[in-house]
Amino acid sequence: MTVHKSKRFIKPAREGLVVRQPHNGQPLPAEGAEVDWSGYWMRRMADGSVVKATPPKQTKAKPTPAAEQKEG
């Protein structure tokens, strides 16, 4: 049987609120993070500590001129 873990992007519900991550005890970043959705995060959502958030758009890094010169 395969277990599929779902991921969700969440952030603290309000500025200055510290919500600890269960796997390392570190605070969830204010800008949010993608987490493995679990009972822990369901409880934080239910008690109003976290909210769903939109992940920031990924931008492709352009190579620097120095990197382009090394390739050629």
Side-chain angles (χ1 to χ4, degrees):
M1 183 165 100
T2 324
V3 177
H4 296 280
K5 286 196 172 190
S6 66
K7 298 221 180 233
R8 294 201 184 171
F9 195 88
I10 59 172
K11 67 178 188 175
R14 59 192 175 277
E15 192 175 329
L17 181 64
V18 176
V19 181
R20 302 269 175 199
Q21 299 177 69
H23 66 282
N24 63 9
Q26 295 297 310
L28 185 65
E31 65 274 7
E34 187 174 67
V35 299
D36 290 325
W37 195 243
S38 66
Y40 175 82
W41 293 116
M42 286 181 213
R43 290 189 300 276
R44 301 296 72 79
M45 180 84 66
D47 71 16
S49 298
V50 299
V51 294
K52 290 180 186 177
T54 304
K57 292 191 177 193
Q58 301 270 339
T59 58
K60 289 189 177 185
K62 293 182 181 178
T64 60
E68 289 174 354
Q69 288 175 357
K70 289 180 183 178
E71 292 175 5

